Amino acid sequence: MATASGGGEFVDKFPDEAAVIKASFLIAFVSLGIGAFFGLVQALHRTNVLRVIDSADYYTMLTGHGVLLAIVFTIFFLCGVFHWAVARSLDRPAESALFSWAWVGLMTTGAVLATIAILGGFVPNLGMSADVLFTFYAPLQAHPIFYIGLAMFIVGTWLSGADWFLSYRAWRQDHPDERIPLQTFMVLTTMIMWYISTLGVAVSVVFFLIPWSLGLIESVNPLLTRTLFWYFGHPIVYFWLMPAYLLWYTVLPKLAGGRLFSDPLARVVFLLFLLLSTPVGIHHQYLDPGIAEGFKFIAMTNTMFLLLPSLLTAFTVVASVEHGARQRGGKGYLRWLGALPWRDPAFTGMALAGAMFAAGGFSGMINAGMNINYLIHNTLWVPGHFHLTVGTAVALTMMAGSYWLVPQVTGTKLYSRPIGLLQVIMWFVGMVFMSNAMHRAGLAGIPRRTAEPQYQNFEFLTPIGSIFELRVQIALGGTLLFLSVVLFLFNILLTSLGEESDRPVDSHLPEPLSGPEGSPRILDNLAMWTGIAAVLVVLAYTLPLAGIIQNGGGLFGGGLPVPATVSAGFDLVFTTVTSAFNTLWGVVA
């Protein structure tokens, strides 16, 4: 792994990059604060603990909570981390500071426009709203400014990726025979996945939703916009996760006192996410009647393959952390856990985030299965799941990682390690309460995405405990999460405003135990992997999209989507493959 020389001098060596990173983090943290406040109001409102808004405004807050946290906070932080990782691992500044500020400015402008449209929902006389929730597809319609802002934001992310590819191209000219540094490899593969996956939402927003919201076209095909959203909506989960993975693979082992266990395994994991993330979005649409059951079955099968990179990550990261613990004197099968630096908020926060992600993986397997998905679809189980993944694995890693990264780009000392430690533990405890209650409430059938979850003349029942107890847990968890964000922002603000430290953070990352020389060079052939990923997407989506357009009234609707069955051609292929498999199994058996 190529490393910047020395340690702790990032802000001095790359001042322009540090300024871009600080700007990205600033916007991310402002979005985090606003989104967290919206989340607190939602948690107290729907549990009937404290109602300070009308139920109609609940959906405005829900949209703001989802967009500001799941899009603006996560992606701006990602851009900051990736900008740091590319400059650090290539040991060179960006090719053009002006170009870097261009994508920051475009993303910021887009985020502000989308946020203005959302907040307009609080002022009915304004005639501007975007109460379409995070899943912004038809038939719910937002103000054109919302869609235009999102389009600008997405284009800004495309430019950020171009910035990093330009840096890589310049580095490659000077190092034609070297392996791609690991952190840069992670950034480039993630951005390739992002370019492929955002094509769907770009088509939906630019060609359908913006013209529709402006009145240029009368209608759209709701199922088409929904499918294009989920074409993008599932890989964005891994786009959120990749900066967390980057920190788990390259920074967490250092904080533990050791080294990354395997560079080749890390590269394989990121390539698997590139190949497998996008072709599986239909598993979010098991209950959509306009998609053939056969395509849903294929999406379910493909989704299960995504367990592989997650399991490889669990093995590699835990092995790396254990190596660090044993370097610090840890002994025994499990007693080595006690040798880890649990007083370091950066380490503890990322470790707890990884533990939560494991729990989120188990609930995600329920979501991915067609038959058991029907039980929990559109219930509180679903937000319980993604609060474990994006809400903890991603958000908690980003906050914990900030305690190590922010001092590097500001040149100041972390204001308070004890406050940081309290903050990450409070987030973990709050999420245990809230997510546990959401999962149990989902099993009881309590719906999601509604301000009034209690149906008239109907009582939800739980096998253990009561609905009142689940509401109390959700309200308590939401309150703890908000207080945790307040502590985090307070700590980061005072860190940024502090005096320059005479003991800078050591930014040096040690070489892996198993380096890139132990893997085939074909892993670095990004053009080949991009081509394979594109082919997999075409195979997964060509027939389903054709069926949606044919059965749903064309590109622009014109009628409600009709229930679709497996077409004759697909049915013949599926039957033939099944018969051949049964015959082969009979021969082997």
Side-chain angles (χ1 to χ4, degrees), residues 464-488:
I464 301 174
S466 65
I467 298 299
F468 173 77
E469 171 241 329
L470 297 182
R471 289 177 174 174
V472 169
Q473 281 197 47
I474 292 174
L476 175 61
T479 302
L480 289 174
L481 293 173
F482 176 72
L483 293 176
S484 175
V485 169
V486 172
L487 287 178
F488 170 74

Side-chain angles (χ1 to χ4, degrees), residues 263-452:
D263 176 293
L265 271 180
R267 293 173 192 261
V268 168
V269 164
F270 274 73
L271 287 175
L272 287 174
F273 280 125
L274 166 62
L275 299 179
L276 301 175
S277 296
T278 305
V280 300
I282 288 176
H283 79 228
H284 288 267
Q285 299 176 265
Y286 286 149
L287 291 186
D288 283 359
I291 299 177
E293 292 297 301
F295 297 132
K296 297 174 184 177
F297 177 82
I298 292 174
M300 178 189 70
T301 304
N302 291 341
T303 301
M304 296 305 173
F305 286 110
L306 277 167
L307 289 172
L308 177 59
S310 296
L311 292 174
L312 288 175
T313 296
F315 168 78
T316 308
V317 173
V318 172
S320 304
V321 170
E322 181 182 353
H323 169 72
R326 296 194 183 279
Q327 293 296 107
R328 300 165 65 95
K331 305 290 183 181
Y333 287 111
L334 293 176
R335 284 188 294 113
W336 58 267
L337 290 167
L340 293 170
W342 295 109
R343 293 180 181 271
D344 182 353
F347 172 83
T348 299
M350 284 194 268
L352 292 177
M356 275 292 199
F357 184 59
F362 289 117
S363 64
M365 292 174 64
I366 304 300
N367 301 343
M370 285 181 66
N371 51 349
I372 46 182
N373 178 278
Y374 299 151
L375 175 67
I376 50 87
H377 183 81
N378 262 343
T379 69
L380 265 184
W381 172 287
V382 179
H385 162 71
F386 62 68
H387 277 87
L388 288 179
T389 51
V390 64
T392 302
V394 174
L396 184 54
T397 296
M398 289 179 172
M399 288 185 284
S402 298
Y403 292 135
W404 190 76
L405 285 169
V406 169
Q408 289 191 48
V409 297
T410 60
T412 58
K413 180 182 178 182
L414 178 64
Y415 174 73
S416 174
R417 285 166 60 98
I419 290 178
L421 187 61
L422 173 63
Q423 181 263 316
V424 297
I425 293 175
M426 184 180 291
W427 185 278
F428 179 80
V429 173
M431 195 60 75
V432 167
F433 277 117
M434 190 174 78
S435 181
N436 166 68
M438 283 182 168
H439 280 89
R440 290 173 55 204
L443 293 177
I446 296 178
R448 61 181 291 213
R449 297 195 287 197
T450 175
E452 306 294 339

